[in-house]
Amino acid sequence: MTKTALVVGASGIVGSATTALLSEQGWRVHGLARRPVTQSGLQPVVADLQDAAATADALRHIDPDAVFITTWLRQDSEAENIRVNSAMVRNLLDGLPKPNRTRHVALVTGLKHYLGPFEAYGKGALPQTPFREEQGRLDVENFYYAQEDALFAAAERDGFSWSVHRPHTVIGLAVGNAMNMGTTLAVYATLCRETGRPFTFPGSQAQWSGLTDMTDARQLARHLLWAVETDAAHDEAFNIVNGDVFRWQWMWGRIAAWFGLDAVPFDGTVRPLATQMAGDAELWREIARREQLVEPDLDRLASPWHTDADLGRPIEVVTDMSKSRRLGFTAYQPTDDAFFALFERLRADRLIPALSGQR
């Protein structure tokens, strides 16, 4: 029998990659978002997860084998993040028909599980790296923990299995996404090429010279499907990264070369993208008009604040994947190739100019 999936946040970086993989694997896929999502093989479900009654009404005829929660809403404070995002998970799981067969629910969170929320990001006492799942929770309020608790409570009540997936800085395609380093760097490189500005690393010395890793959205999608189909992965939390490690002093040169730019060596001064790109909205609009790009709104493509948070961290961040490897997940994705594939897709979809990408 054809299996049925519900992908929550289907328009986002992780959600769109997950729906694509599931469709390729022959699943019937329902994609939930606040606005209809048009994607091949996807049956759109429109709902605002903050509205419990409307969510239940939208889901009343959907009885999925697997649910993938890949969405969140950024709020002005961590207290509001906790209130809103935990309620969204509860409203979703309360609104689904009770399972009449085996069901698995996968929740995507991230490394803020170990690093703390944005209000306390990378501060205070942190676990040693590489981060491992058994290190547990920090002694701070964190909306990821609240989302997990809502998932665990519903699983105990309704009897479904679950998994939690913690990626590190996801690389993938989505417009209007709040956390989008790949597209942000592509837009920044395009602006540098247009204006002749130096392609300057915006982050910290620790990120420039320390080891790090990242997660391709396609790698995360493979991990999500693996957890659904692997009994030993049920009721477990996992880190998920590409499998390679790198230093930004190397990766920055790789990205610069793709765009035909010279990488400026880091000189010890942090130059946030939020400052460097602060006045570029009108310039981007002009580039979009001249090059006939499909998205003239810089704010819908770039998220400088999030890229600054990741690249400005004062500690080396490396993620251990041993738990997944021991249970049989062996997929690997070189991170520079993930960036290049995204840049090619951005160019093909006319989100950056055709002449911006040169290798």
Side-chain angles (χ1 to χ4, degrees):
M1 293 178 61
T2 299
K3 290 187 176 181
T4 299
L6 173 66
V7 178
V8 183
S11 61
I13 292 176
V14 179
S16 59
T18 303
T19 59
L21 177 63
L22 292 168
S23 296
E24 290 170 7
Q25 296 295 316
W27 287 61
R28 180 184 298 110
V29 185
H30 300 274
L32 187 150
R34 284 176 292 173
R35 290 174 291 276
V37 177
T38 56
Q39 186 172 324
S40 178
L42 182 68
Q43 300 179 37
V45 180
V46 178
D48 181 349
L49 294 180
Q50 296 182 83
D51 187 330
T55 298
D57 185 61
L59 298 175
R60 66 188 185 279
H61 298 308
I62 300 174
D63 182 16
D65 297 278
V67 180
F68 303 89
I69 306 175
T70 71
T71 189
W72 72 290
L73 283 178
R74 187 188 181 202
Q75 305 298 311
D76 291 335
S77 68
E78 192 59 19
E80 278 298 288
N81 276 331
I82 290 169
R83 183 186 68 81
V84 170
N85 289 285
S86 62
M88 288 168 58
V89 173
R90 284 194 302 274
N91 291 343
L92 168 72
L93 298 177
D94 291 351
L96 280 168
K98 295 297 182 285
N100 57 24
R101 60 185 183 280
T102 300
R103 177 182 293 171
H104 185 87
V105 179
L107 169 67
V108 177
T109 60
L111 292 200
K112 286 188 291 296
H113 183 95
Y114 309 107
L115 288 162
F118 289 120
E119 292 178 2
Y121 200 43
K123 300 175 183 177
L126 296 172
Q128 290 184 340
T129 58
F131 294 138
R132 293 183 171 88
E133 295 90 346
E134 64 266 22
Q135 288 169 310
R137 296 179 175 185
L138 300 174
D139 188 22
V140 294
E141 295 297 310
N142 190 324
F143 83 86
Y144 282 170
Y145 306 161
Q147 286 183 307
E148 286 185 346
D149 289 342
L151 172 67
F152 301 157
E156 184 174 359
R157 179 193 68 204
D158 294 337
F160 58 77
S161 61
W162 56 266
S163 55
V164 175
H165 304 256
R166 299 170 185 157
H168 179 196
T169 309
V170 178
I171 303 169
L173 179 64
V175 176
N177 193 275
M179 301 190 295
N180 196 341
M181 180 188 286
T183 303
T184 298
L185 293 180
V187 169
Y188 174 57
T190 300
L191 290 166
C192 288
R193 184 175 177 129
E194 174 79 12
T195 61
R197 297 178 202 163
F199 187 62
T200 304
F201 183 72
S204 67
Q205 181 67 54
Q207 293 305 303
W208 178 253
S209 58
L211 290 173
T212 194
D213 47 29
M214 295 182 73
T215 309
D216 188 310
R218 298 166 300 178
Q219 174 83 337
L220 176 50
R222 291 189 285 266
H223 196 250
L224 289 165
L225 181 55
W226 165 81
V228 170
E229 296 179 337
T230 304
D231 288 346
H234 292 177
D235 302 336
E236 298 284 351
F238 297 99
N239 298 328
I240 169 61
V241 288
N242 287 334
D244 62 349
V245 295
F246 63 91
R247 303 181 199 276
W248 273 105
Q249 60 189 14
W250 175 80
M251 186 67 77
W252 199 248
R254 297 283 285 159
I255 293 173
W258 199 93
F259 285 94
L261 299 167
D262 294 323
V264 178
F266 182 65
D267 64 2
T269 301
V270 177
R271 295 179 173 87
L273 289 181
T275 301
Q276 293 192 55
M277 300 171 66
D280 286 334
E282 201 51 47
L283 173 59
W284 184 262
R285 194 171 295 279
E286 172 57 26
I287 294 171
R289 183 199 62 76
R290 186 188 71 215
E291 303 292 338
Q292 298 183 323
L293 304 182
V294 299
E295 183 50 74
D297 186 347
L298 182 64
D299 289 339
R300 283 183 51 74
L301 287 176
S303 53
W305 65 273
H306 181 260
T307 300
D308 287 339
D310 275 6
L311 297 184
R313 291 181 297 214
I315 61 171
E316 181 178 270
V317 177
V318 183
T319 312
D320 183 74
M321 277 280 291
S322 297
K323 186 175 181 180
S324 293
R325 300 302 188 211
R326 288 189 178 104
L327 294 178
F329 182 79
T330 59
Y332 169 79
Q333 170 65 60
T335 300
D336 53 343
D337 287 351
F339 273 121
F340 299 155
L342 171 63
F343 299 157
E344 293 280 8
R345 177 77 182 278
L346 291 170
R347 187 168 62 178
D349 289 356
R350 303 206 62 77
L351 289 164
I352 61 174
L355 296 179
S356 292
Q358 293 185 348
R359 290 167 66 185

